[in-house]
């Protein structure tokens, strides 16, 4: 999702007019697995990064709607979430920390 990228106020206004909303997860992964279509939405944070109120609210609403949404710390956890998706594991959180 380009929403997290640095942008000018004019670019932000154009994205808002196009339907982009505050708090949408950074990465939307959609796959076709042996058991059928699967997807996960990832909010990627650095080690000490925090979710904004908009991000937390959006994440909770997406979970309530039945989506698999995960808050991950760094690229390693994001990759682990995709591997878990491929294995057919559905989890709202990633407990295991990875060293990269």
């Amino acid at each position: 999702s380009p929403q997290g990228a640095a942008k000018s106020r004019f670019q932000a206004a154009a994205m808002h007019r196009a339907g982009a909303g505050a708090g949408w997860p950074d990465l939307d992964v959609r796959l076709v697995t042996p058991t059928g279509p699967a997807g996960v939405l990832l909010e990627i944070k650095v080690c000490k990064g925090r979710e904004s109120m908009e991000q937390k609210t959006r994440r909770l609403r997406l979970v309530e709607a039945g989506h698999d949404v995960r808050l991950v710390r760094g690229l390693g956890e994001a990759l682990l979430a995709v591997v878990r998706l491929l294995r057919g594991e559905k989890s709202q959180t990633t407990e295991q920390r990875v060293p990269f």
Side-chain angles (χ1 to χ4, degrees):
S1 169
Q3 294 182 179
K7 54 194 151 297
S8 71
R9 66 183 181 156
F10 299 108
Q11 290 169 318
M15 288 180 69
H16 182 73
R17 284 191 303 274
W24 192 261
D26 298 312
L27 188 60
D28 183 352
V29 180
R30 304 287 172 182
L31 303 170
V32 177
T33 67
T35 58
V40 64
L41 295 163
L42 301 174
E43 179 60 41
I44 304 171
K45 294 292 180 192
V46 296
C47 186
K48 294 184 180 183
R50 291 183 170 182
E51 275 185 302
S52 69
M53 185 55 70
E54 292 87 1
Q55 290 170 326
K56 186 173 186 175
T57 301
R58 176 80 62 152
R59 182 172 53 84
L60 294 174
R61 286 185 180 165
L62 287 167
V63 168
E64 287 173 0
H67 295 280
D68 187 4
V69 185
R70 303 180 194 188
L71 175 64
V72 296
R73 303 275 175 197
L75 179 60
E77 285 188 17
L79 292 172
L80 182 60
V82 173
V83 168
R84 287 180 173 171
L85 176 68
L86 287 168
R87 290 181 183 162
E89 299 173 19
K90 288 201 110 181
S91 170
Q92 300 305 332
T93 59
T94 303
E95 298 85 20
Q96 181 179 350
R97 298 281 184 225
V98 292
F100 53 91

